[in-house]
Coordinates of all heavy atoms in Angstrom, one line a residue:
M1 N 31.5 -108.2 -103.8 CA 30.7 -107.0 -104.3 C 30.2 -106.2 -103.1 O 29.7 -106.9 -102.1 CB 29.6 -107.5 -105.2 CG 29.1 -106.4 -106.1 SD 27.7 -107.0 -107.1 CE 28.6 -107.7 -108.5
K2 N 30.3 -105.0 -103.2 CA 29.8 -104.1 -102.1 C 28.3 -104.1 -102.0 O 27.6 -104.0 -103.0 CB 30.3 -102.6 -102.4 CG 30.4 -101.8 -101.1 CD 30.9 -100.4 -101.4 CE 29.8 -99.4 -101.1 NZ 29.9 -98.2 -101.8
K3 N 27.8 -104.2 -100.7 CA 26.4 -104.3 -100.5 C 25.8 -102.8 -100.6 O 26.4 -101.9 -100.0 CB 26.1 -104.9 -99.1 CG 25.9 -106.4 -99.2 CD 24.4 -106.7 -99.2 CE 24.2 -108.2 -99.3 NZ 22.8 -108.6 -99.3
L4 N 24.7 -102.7 -101.2 CA 24.1 -101.4 -101.4 C 22.8 -101.3 -100.5 O 22.3 -102.4 -100.1 CB 23.7 -101.1 -102.8 CG 24.9 -101.1 -103.8 CD1 24.4 -101.4 -105.2 CD2 25.5 -99.7 -103.8
T5 N 22.4 -100.1 -100.3 CA 21.1 -99.9 -99.5 C 20.0 -100.5 -100.4 O 19.9 -100.1 -101.6 CB 20.9 -98.4 -99.3 OG1 22.1 -97.8 -98.9 CG2 19.8 -98.2 -98.2
P6 N 19.1 -101.4 -99.9 CA 18.0 -101.9 -100.7 C 17.2 -100.8 -101.3 O 16.8 -99.8 -100.6 CB 17.2 -102.7 -99.7 CG 18.2 -103.1 -98.7 CD 19.2 -102.0 -98.5
K7 N 16.9 -100.9 -102.5 CA 16.2 -99.9 -103.2 C 15.1 -100.5 -104.1 O 15.4 -101.6 -104.7 CB 17.2 -99.1 -104.0 CG 16.6 -97.9 -104.9 CD 17.8 -97.4 -105.7 CE 17.3 -96.4 -106.7 NZ 18.4 -96.0 -107.6
E8 N 14.0 -99.8 -104.3 CA 13.0 -100.4 -105.1 C 13.2 -99.9 -106.5 O 13.3 -98.7 -106.8 CB 11.6 -100.0 -104.6 CG 10.5 -100.8 -105.2 CD 9.1 -100.7 -104.5 OE1 8.4 -99.8 -104.8 OE2 8.9 -101.6 -103.6
V9 N 13.2 -100.8 -107.5 CA 13.4 -100.5 -108.9 C 12.3 -101.1 -109.7 O 11.6 -102.1 -109.3 CB 14.8 -100.9 -109.4 CG1 15.9 -100.2 -108.8 CG2 14.9 -102.4 -109.2
Q10 N 12.1 -100.5 -110.9 CA 11.0 -101.0 -111.8 C 11.7 -101.5 -113.1 O 12.5 -100.8 -113.7 CB 9.9 -100.0 -112.0 CG 8.8 -100.6 -112.7 CD 7.6 -99.6 -112.9 OE1 7.8 -98.4 -113.1 NE2 6.4 -100.1 -112.8
C11 N 11.3 -102.7 -113.4 CA 11.8 -103.2 -114.7 C 11.1 -102.7 -115.9 O 10.0 -102.1 -115.7 CB 11.7 -104.8 -114.6 SG 12.1 -105.6 -116.1
D12 N 11.6 -102.8 -117.0 CA 10.9 -102.3 -118.3 C 9.6 -103.0 -118.5 O 8.7 -102.4 -119.1 CB 11.8 -102.6 -119.5 CG 13.1 -101.7 -119.4 OD1 13.1 -100.7 -118.8 OD2 14.1 -102.1 -120.1
C13 N 9.5 -104.2 -118.0 CA 8.2 -104.9 -118.1 C 7.2 -104.5 -117.1 O 6.0 -105.0 -117.1 CB 8.5 -106.5 -118.0 SG 8.8 -107.0 -116.4
G14 N 7.5 -103.7 -116.1 CA 6.6 -103.2 -115.2 C 6.7 -103.8 -113.8 O 6.0 -103.4 -112.8
H15 N 7.5 -104.9 -113.7 CA 7.6 -105.6 -112.4 C 8.5 -104.8 -111.5 O 9.6 -104.3 -111.8 CB 8.3 -107.0 -112.7 CG 8.4 -107.8 -111.5 ND1 7.4 -108.1 -110.7 CD2 9.5 -108.5 -111.0 CE1 7.8 -108.9 -109.7 NE2 9.1 -109.1 -109.9
T16 N 8.0 -104.6 -110.3 CA 8.7 -103.8 -109.3 C 9.2 -104.7 -108.2 O 8.5 -105.6 -107.7 CB 7.8 -102.7 -108.7 OG1 7.1 -102.0 -109.7 CG2 8.6 -101.7 -107.9
F17 N 10.5 -104.5 -107.8 CA 11.1 -105.3 -106.7 C 12.2 -104.5 -106.1 O 12.7 -103.5 -106.6 CB 11.5 -106.7 -107.2 CG 12.3 -106.6 -108.4 CD1 13.7 -106.7 -108.4 CD2 11.7 -106.6 -109.7 CE1 14.5 -106.6 -109.5 CE2 12.5 -106.6 -110.8 CZ 13.9 -106.6 -110.8
T18 N 12.7 -105.1 -104.9 CA 13.8 -104.4 -104.2 C 15.1 -105.1 -104.4 O 15.1 -106.3 -104.4 CB 13.4 -104.5 -102.7 OG1 12.1 -103.9 -102.5 CG2 14.4 -103.6 -101.9
I19 N 16.1 -104.3 -104.7 CA 17.4 -104.9 -105.0 C 18.5 -104.3 -104.1 O 18.3 -103.1 -103.7 CB 17.9 -104.8 -106.5 CG1 17.9 -103.4 -106.9 CG2 17.0 -105.7 -107.3 CD1 18.6 -103.2 -108.3
D20 N 19.5 -105.0 -103.7 CA 20.6 -104.5 -103.0 C 21.9 -104.8 -103.7 O 23.0 -104.8 -103.0 CB 20.6 -105.0 -101.5 CG 20.7 -106.5 -101.5 OD1 20.7 -107.1 -102.5 OD2 20.6 -107.0 -100.3
R21 N 21.8 -105.0 -104.9 CA 23.0 -105.2 -105.7 C 23.0 -104.3 -106.9 O 22.0 -103.8 -107.3 CB 23.0 -106.7 -106.2 CG 23.6 -107.7 -105.2 CD 23.7 -109.0 -105.8 NE 22.5 -109.8 -105.7 CZ 22.2 -110.9 -106.4 NH1 23.1 -111.4 -107.2 NH2 21.1 -111.6 -106.2
R22 N 24.2 -104.2 -107.6 CA 24.3 -103.2 -108.7 C 23.5 -103.7 -109.9 O 22.9 -103.0 -110.6 CB 25.8 -103.1 -109.2 CG 26.6 -102.3 -108.2 CD 27.7 -101.6 -108.9 NE 28.2 -100.5 -108.1 CZ 27.6 -99.3 -108.1 NH1 26.6 -99.1 -108.9 NH2 28.1 -98.4 -107.3
R23 N 23.5 -105.0 -110.0 CA 22.7 -105.6 -111.2 C 21.9 -106.8 -110.7 O 22.3 -107.5 -109.8 CB 23.7 -106.1 -112.3 CG 23.0 -106.4 -113.5 CD 23.8 -106.4 -114.7 NE 24.8 -107.5 -114.7 CZ 25.2 -108.1 -115.8 NH1 24.8 -107.7 -117.0 NH2 26.0 -109.1 -115.7
Y24 N 20.7 -106.9 -111.2 CA 19.9 -108.0 -110.8 C 19.0 -108.4 -112.0 O 18.9 -107.7 -113.0 CB 18.9 -107.4 -109.7 CG 18.3 -108.5 -108.8 CD1 19.1 -109.0 -107.7 CD2 17.0 -109.0 -109.0 CE1 18.5 -110.0 -106.9 CE2 16.5 -109.9 -108.2 CZ 17.3 -110.4 -107.2 OH 16.7 -111.4 -106.3
W25 N 18.6 -109.7 -111.9 CA 17.8 -110.2 -113.1 C 16.3 -110.1 -112.7 O 15.9 -110.6 -111.6 CB 18.2 -111.6 -113.4 CG 19.6 -111.7 -113.8 CD1 20.7 -112.0 -113.0 CD2 20.2 -111.3 -115.1 NE1 21.8 -111.9 -113.7 CE2 21.6 -111.5 -115.0 CE3 19.7 -110.9 -116.3 CZ2 22.5 -111.2 -116.1 CZ3 20.5 -110.6 -117.4 CH2 21.9 -110.8 -117.2
C26 N 15.5 -109.6 -113.6 CA 14.0 -109.5 -113.3 C 13.5 -111.0 -113.2 O 13.8 -111.8 -114.1 CB 13.4 -108.8 -114.4 SG 11.6 -108.7 -114.3
E27 N 12.6 -111.2 -112.2 CA 12.1 -112.5 -112.0 C 11.0 -112.8 -113.1 O 10.7 -114.0 -113.3 CB 11.5 -112.6 -110.6 CG 12.5 -112.5 -109.6 CD 12.0 -111.9 -108.3 OE1 10.8 -111.9 -108.1 OE2 12.8 -111.3 -107.5
K28 N 10.4 -111.8 -113.6 CA 9.3 -111.9 -114.6 C 9.8 -112.1 -116.0 O 9.3 -113.0 -116.7 CB 8.3 -110.7 -114.5 CG 7.5 -110.7 -113.2 CD 6.2 -111.4 -113.4 CE 5.5 -111.5 -112.0 NZ 4.8 -110.3 -111.6
C29 N 10.7 -111.3 -116.5 CA 11.1 -111.4 -117.9 C 12.5 -111.7 -118.1 O 13.0 -111.8 -119.2 CB 10.7 -110.0 -118.6 SG 11.7 -108.7 -118.0
A30 N 13.3 -111.9 -117.0 CA 14.7 -112.3 -117.0 C 15.6 -111.3 -117.7 O 16.7 -111.7 -118.1 CB 14.8 -113.7 -117.6
S31 N 15.2 -110.1 -117.7 CA 16.1 -109.1 -118.3 C 16.9 -108.4 -117.2 O 16.4 -108.3 -116.1 CB 15.4 -108.1 -119.2 OG 14.5 -107.3 -118.4
P32 N 18.1 -107.9 -117.4 CA 18.9 -107.3 -116.4 C 18.3 -106.0 -115.9 O 17.8 -105.2 -116.7 CB 20.3 -107.1 -117.0 CG 20.1 -107.1 -118.5 CD 18.8 -107.9 -118.7
V33 N 18.3 -105.8 -114.6 CA 17.8 -104.5 -114.0 C 18.9 -103.9 -113.2 O 19.6 -104.6 -112.5 CB 16.6 -104.8 -113.1 CG1 16.1 -103.5 -112.5 CG2 15.5 -105.4 -113.9
Y34 N 19.2 -102.6 -113.4 CA 20.3 -102.0 -112.7 C 19.9 -101.1 -111.6 O 18.8 -100.5 -111.6 CB 21.1 -101.2 -113.8 CG 21.7 -102.0 -114.8 CD1 21.0 -102.4 -116.0 CD2 23.0 -102.6 -114.6 CE1 21.6 -103.2 -116.9 CE2 23.5 -103.4 -115.6 CZ 22.8 -103.7 -116.7 OH 23.4 -104.5 -117.7
Y35 N 20.7 -101.1 -110.6 CA 20.4 -100.3 -109.4 C 20.4 -98.9 -109.7 O 19.5 -98.1 -109.3 CB 21.6 -100.6 -108.3 CG 21.3 -100.0 -107.0 CD1 20.6 -100.7 -106.0 CD2 21.9 -98.7 -106.7 CE1 20.4 -100.1 -104.8 CE2 21.7 -98.2 -105.4 CZ 21.0 -98.9 -104.5 OH 20.8 -98.3 -103.3
D36 N 21.3 -98.5 -110.5 CA 21.4 -97.1 -111.0 C 21.1 -97.0 -112.5 O 21.7 -97.7 -113.3 CB 22.8 -96.6 -110.7 CG 22.9 -95.1 -110.7 OD1 22.0 -94.4 -111.3 OD2 23.9 -94.6 -110.1
L37 N 20.2 -96.1 -112.8 CA 19.8 -96.0 -114.3 C 21.0 -95.6 -115.1 O 21.1 -95.9 -116.2 CB 18.6 -95.1 -114.4 CG 17.2 -95.7 -114.2 CD1 16.2 -94.6 -114.3 CD2 16.9 -96.8 -115.1
K38 N 21.8 -94.7 -114.5 CA 23.0 -94.2 -115.2 C 23.9 -95.4 -115.6 O 24.5 -95.4 -116.7 CB 23.8 -93.3 -114.3 CG 23.5 -91.8 -114.6 CD 24.4 -90.9 -113.8 CE 23.8 -90.5 -112.5 NZ 24.7 -89.8 -111.6
E39 N 23.9 -96.4 -114.7 CA 24.8 -97.6 -115.0 C 24.3 -98.4 -116.2 O 25.0 -98.9 -116.9 CB 24.8 -98.5 -113.7 CG 25.8 -99.6 -113.8 CD 26.4 -99.9 -112.5 OE1 26.3 -99.1 -111.6 OE2 27.0 -101.0 -112.4
K40 N 23.0 -98.4 -116.3 CA 22.4 -99.1 -117.5 C 22.9 -98.4 -118.8 O 23.2 -99.1 -119.7 CB 20.8 -99.0 -117.4 CG 20.1 -99.8 -118.4 CD 18.6 -99.7 -118.2 CE 17.9 -100.6 -119.2 NZ 16.4 -100.5 -119.0
K41 N 22.9 -97.1 -118.8 CA 23.3 -96.4 -120.0 C 24.8 -96.7 -120.2 O 25.2 -96.9 -121.3 CB 23.1 -94.9 -119.7 CG 23.0 -94.1 -121.0 CD 22.8 -92.7 -120.8 CE 22.9 -91.9 -122.1 NZ 23.0 -90.4 -121.8
H42 N 25.6 -96.6 -119.1 CA 27.0 -96.9 -119.2 C 27.3 -98.3 -119.7 O 28.1 -98.5 -120.6 CB 27.6 -96.8 -117.8 CG 29.1 -97.1 -117.7 ND1 30.0 -96.2 -118.2 CD2 29.7 -98.1 -117.2 CE1 31.2 -96.7 -118.0 NE2 31.1 -97.9 -117.4
H43 N 26.5 -99.2 -119.3 CA 26.6 -100.6 -119.7 C 26.3 -100.7 -121.2 O 27.0 -101.4 -122.0 CB 25.6 -101.5 -119.0 CG 25.8 -103.0 -119.3 ND1 26.8 -103.7 -118.8 CD2 25.0 -103.8 -120.0 CE1 26.7 -104.9 -119.2 NE2 25.6 -105.0 -120.0
K44 N 25.3 -99.9 -121.7 CA 25.0 -99.9 -123.1 C 26.1 -99.4 -123.9 O 26.5 -99.9 -125.0 CB 23.7 -99.1 -123.4 CG 22.4 -99.9 -123.4 CD 21.2 -99.1 -123.7 CE 20.0 -99.9 -123.6 NZ 18.8 -99.1 -123.6
N45 N 26.7 -98.3 -123.4 CA 27.9 -97.8 -124.1 C 29.0 -98.8 -124.2 O 29.7 -98.9 -125.2 CB 28.4 -96.5 -123.4 CG 27.5 -95.3 -123.6 OD1 26.6 -95.4 -124.5 ND2 27.7 -94.3 -122.8
N46 N 29.2 -99.5 -123.1 CA 30.3 -100.5 -123.1 C 30.0 -101.6 -124.1 O 30.9 -102.1 -124.8 CB 30.3 -101.2 -121.7 CG 31.3 -100.5 -120.8 OD1 31.9 -99.6 -121.1 ND2 31.4 -101.0 -119.6
T47 N 28.7 -101.9 -124.3 CA 28.3 -103.0 -125.3 C 28.7 -102.5 -126.7 O 29.2 -103.2 -127.5 CB 26.8 -103.3 -125.1 OG1 26.6 -103.5 -123.8 CG2 26.5 -104.5 -125.9
I48 N 28.4 -101.2 -127.0 CA 28.7 -100.7 -128.3 C 30.2 -100.7 -128.5 O 30.7 -101.0 -129.6 CB 28.1 -99.2 -128.4 CG1 26.6 -99.3 -128.5 CG2 28.7 -98.5 -129.6 CD1 25.9 -98.0 -128.2
Y49 N 31.0 -100.3 -127.4 CA 32.4 -100.3 -127.5 C 33.0 -101.7 -127.8 O 33.8 -101.9 -128.7 CB 33.0 -99.8 -126.2 CG 34.5 -99.9 -126.1 CD1 35.3 -99.0 -126.8 CD2 35.1 -100.8 -125.4 CE1 36.7 -99.0 -126.8 CE2 36.5 -100.9 -125.3 CZ 37.3 -100.0 -126.0 OH 38.6 -100.1 -125.9
V50 N 32.4 -102.7 -127.2 CA 32.8 -104.1 -127.4 C 32.5 -104.5 -128.8 O 33.3 -105.1 -129.5 CB 32.1 -105.1 -126.4 CG1 32.3 -106.5 -126.8 CG2 32.7 -104.8 -125.0
Y51 N 31.3 -104.1 -129.3 CA 31.0 -104.5 -130.7 C 31.9 -103.8 -131.7 O 32.3 -104.4 -132.7 CB 29.5 -104.0 -131.0 CG 28.5 -105.0 -130.6 CD1 27.5 -104.7 -129.7 CD2 28.5 -106.3 -131.2 CE1 26.5 -105.6 -129.4 CE2 27.6 -107.2 -130.9 CZ 26.6 -106.9 -130.0 OH 25.6 -107.8 -129.6
G52 N 32.3 -102.5 -131.4 CA 33.3 -101.8 -132.2 C 34.6 -102.5 -132.3 O 35.2 -102.7 -133.4
V53 N 35.1 -102.9 -131.1 CA 36.4 -103.7 -131.1 C 36.3 -105.0 -131.9 O 37.1 -105.3 -132.7 CB 36.8 -103.9 -129.6 CG1 38.0 -104.9 -129.6 CG2 37.2 -102.6 -128.9
F54 N 35.2 -105.6 -131.7 CA 34.9 -106.9 -132.3 C 34.9 -106.7 -133.9 O 35.6 -107.5 -134.6 CB 33.6 -107.5 -131.9 CG 33.3 -108.8 -132.4 CD1 33.9 -110.0 -132.0 CD2 32.2 -109.0 -133.4 CE1 33.6 -111.2 -132.5 CE2 31.9 -110.2 -133.9 CZ 32.6 -111.3 -133.5
L55 N 34.2 -105.7 -134.3 CA 34.2 -105.4 -135.8 C 35.6 -105.1 -136.3 O 35.9 -105.5 -137.4 CB 33.2 -104.2 -136.0 CG 31.8 -104.6 -136.3 CD1 31.0 -103.3 -136.4 CD2 31.6 -105.5 -137.5
G56 N 36.3 -104.3 -135.5 CA 37.7 -104.0 -135.9 C 38.6 -105.2 -136.1 O 39.3 -105.4 -137.0
V57 N 38.4 -106.2 -135.1 CA 39.2 -107.4 -135.2 C 38.8 -108.2 -136.4 O 39.7 -108.8 -137.1 CB 39.0 -108.2 -133.9 CG1 39.5 -109.6 -134.0 CG2 39.7 -107.5 -132.7
I58 N 37.5 -108.3 -136.7 CA 37.0 -109.0 -137.9 C 37.6 -108.4 -139.2 O 38.1 -109.1 -140.0 CB 35.5 -109.1 -137.9 CG1 34.9 -109.8 -136.7 CG2 34.9 -109.6 -139.2 CD1 35.1 -111.3 -136.8
T59 N 37.5 -107.1 -139.2 CA 38.1 -106.4 -140.4 C 39.5 -106.7 -140.6 O 40.0 -107.0 -141.7 CB 37.8 -104.9 -140.3 OG1 36.5 -104.7 -139.9 CG2 38.2 -104.1 -141.6
F60 N 40.3 -106.6 -139.5 CA 41.7 -106.9 -139.5 C 42.0 -108.3 -139.9 O 42.9 -108.5 -140.8 CB 42.3 -106.6 -138.1 CG 43.8 -106.9 -138.0 CD1 44.7 -106.0 -138.6 CD2 44.3 -108.0 -137.3 CE1 46.0 -106.2 -138.4 CE2 45.6 -108.2 -137.2 CZ 46.5 -107.3 -137.8
L61 N 41.3 -109.3 -139.4 CA 41.5 -110.7 -139.8 C 41.2 -110.9 -141.2 O 41.9 -111.6 -141.9 CB 40.6 -111.6 -138.9 CG 41.1 -111.8 -137.4 CD1 40.1 -112.6 -136.7 CD2 42.5 -112.4 -137.4
T62 N 40.1 -110.2 -141.7 CA 39.7 -110.4 -143.1 C 40.9 -109.8 -144.0 O 41.3 -110.4 -145.0 CB 38.4 -109.6 -143.4 OG1 37.5 -110.0 -142.5 CG2 38.0 -109.8 -144.9
Y63 N 41.5 -108.7 -143.6 CA 42.6 -108.1 -144.3 C 43.8 -109.0 -144.3 O 44.4 -109.2 -145.4 CB 42.9 -106.7 -143.6 CG 44.2 -106.1 -144.1 CD1 44.2 -105.4 -145.4 CD2 45.4 -106.1 -143.4 CE1 45.3 -104.8 -145.9 CE2 46.5 -105.5 -143.9 CZ 46.5 -104.9 -145.1 OH 47.6 -104.3 -145.6
I64 N 44.1 -109.6 -143.2 CA 45.2 -110.5 -143.1 C 45.0 -111.7 -144.0 O 45.9 -112.1 -144.7 CB 45.4 -111.0 -141.6 CG1 45.9 -109.8 -140.7 CG2 46.4 -112.1 -141.5 CD1 47.3 -109.3 -141.0
F65 N 43.7 -112.2 -143.9 CA 43.4 -113.4 -144.7 C 43.6 -113.1 -146.2 O 44.2 -113.9 -147.0 CB 41.9 -113.7 -144.4 CG 41.4 -114.9 -145.3 CD1 41.7 -116.2 -145.0 CD2 40.5 -114.6 -146.3 CE1 41.2 -117.2 -145.8 CE2 40.0 -115.6 -147.1 CZ 40.4 -116.9 -146.8
V66 N 43.1 -111.9 -146.7 CA 43.2 -111.5 -148.1 C 44.6 -111.4 -148.5 O 45.1 -111.9 -149.5 CB 42.3 -110.3 -148.4 CG1 42.6 -109.7 -149.7 CG2 40.8 -110.6 -148.2
E67 N 45.4 -110.7 -147.6 CA 46.8 -110.3 -147.9 C 47.7 -111.6 -147.9 O 48.5 -111.8 -148.8 CB 47.3 -109.4 -146.8 CG 47.0 -107.9 -147.1 CD 47.6 -107.4 -148.4 OE1 48.9 -107.5 -148.5 OE2 46.9 -106.8 -149.2
L68 N 47.5 -112.5 -147.0 CA 48.4 -113.6 -146.8 C 48.0 -114.9 -147.6 O 48.8 -115.7 -148.0 CB 48.6 -114.0 -145.4 CG 49.3 -112.9 -144.5 CD1 49.4 -113.4 -143.1 CD2 50.7 -112.6 -145.0
I69 N 46.6 -115.1 -147.7 CA 46.2 -116.3 -148.3 C 45.6 -116.1 -149.7 O 46.0 -116.9 -150.6 CB 45.1 -117.0 -147.4 CG1 45.8 -117.3 -146.0 CG2 44.5 -118.2 -148.0 CD1 44.9 -117.5 -144.9
V70 N 44.8 -115.1 -149.9 CA 44.2 -115.0 -151.2 C 45.1 -114.4 -152.2 O 45.3 -114.9 -153.3 CB 42.9 -114.1 -151.1 CG1 42.3 -113.9 -152.5 CG2 41.9 -114.8 -150.2
T71 N 45.9 -113.3 -151.8 CA 46.8 -112.6 -152.8 C 47.9 -113.5 -153.4 O 48.0 -113.6 -154.6 CB 47.4 -111.4 -152.1 OG1 46.3 -110.6 -151.5 CG2 48.1 -110.5 -153.1
P72 N 48.6 -114.4 -152.6 CA 49.6 -115.3 -153.2 C 49.0 -116.2 -154.2 O 49.6 -116.5 -155.3 CB 50.1 -116.1 -152.0 CG 49.9 -115.2 -150.8 CD 48.6 -114.5 -151.1
Y73 N 47.7 -116.7 -154.0 CA 47.1 -117.6 -155.0 C 46.7 -116.8 -156.3 O 46.8 -117.4 -157.3 CB 45.8 -118.2 -154.3 CG 46.1 -119.4 -153.5 CD1 46.1 -119.3 -152.1 CD2 46.4 -120.6 -154.1 CE1 46.4 -120.4 -151.3 CE2 46.7 -121.7 -153.3 CZ 46.7 -121.6 -151.9 OH 47.0 -122.7 -151.1
M74 N 46.3 -115.6 -156.1 CA 45.9 -114.7 -157.2 C 47.1 -114.5 -158.2 O 46.9 -114.3 -159.3 CB 45.3 -113.4 -156.7 CG 44.1 -113.6 -155.9 SD 42.6 -114.0 -156.9 CE 42.1 -112.4 -157.4
S75 N 48.3 -114.4 -157.6 CA 49.5 -114.1 -158.4 C 50.0 -115.2 -159.3 O 50.8 -115.0 -160.2 CB 50.6 -113.5 -157.5 OG 50.9 -114.5 -156.6
F76 N 49.4 -116.4 -159.1 CA 49.9 -117.5 -159.9 C 49.2 -117.5 -161.3 O 48.1 -117.2 -161.4 CB 49.6 -118.9 -159.2 CG 50.6 -119.3 -158.2 CD1 50.3 -119.3 -156.8 CD2 51.9 -119.6 -158.6 CE1 51.3 -119.6 -155.9 CE2 52.9 -120.0 -157.7 CZ 52.6 -120.0 -156.4
Ligands
ZN1 ZN1 11.0 -107.6 -116.1

């Protein structure tokens, strides 16, 4: 990972500390703190995207399950 210029950041809990990495864990509340606030937003968007894909997979699997397993039994 590329080293960054040490920068002072403030966590949501109010704890202030210096980081030289893109992501760091707050020593007080153990929540992730980002070097760049924009990155935090980007990370949140990524999380929503992952949830979307996950929901899609679950829906697809449910569909497959109903089509292949439940429907043949129903036709008897
Ligand atoms: Zn904190």
Side-chain angles (χ1 to χ4, degrees):
M1 201 182 273
K2 205 180 114 202
K3 270 261 178 181
L4 296 155
T5 318
K7 179 186 171 186
E8 196 165 84
V9 291
Q10 190 175 34
C11 173
D12 292 336
C13 73
H15 182 52
T16 312
F17 49 95
T18 309
I19 59 170
D20 58 1
R21 277 186 274 166
R22 288 210 160 275
R23 190 158 73 144
Y24 203 81
W25 301 97
C26 175
E27 295 147 24
K28 289 268 168 82
C29 67
S31 65
V33 178
Y34 296 88
Y35 188 85
D36 201 336
L37 277 178
K38 265 186 267 170
E39 188 146 345
K40 187 178 182 176
K41 206 179 169 193
H42 178 73
H43 185 77
K44 267 186 185 166
N45 286 347
N46 268 1
T47 311
I48 290 163
Y49 176 74
V50 168
Y51 273 121
V53 170
F54 183 72
L55 271 177
V57 169
I58 294 290
T59 310
F60 180 71
L61 286 178
T62 308
Y63 172 76
I64 293 292
F65 175 79
V66 169
E67 278 295 307
L68 296 180
I69 296 158
V70 178
T71 310
Y73 278 105
M74 297 286 275
S75 59
F76 274 113

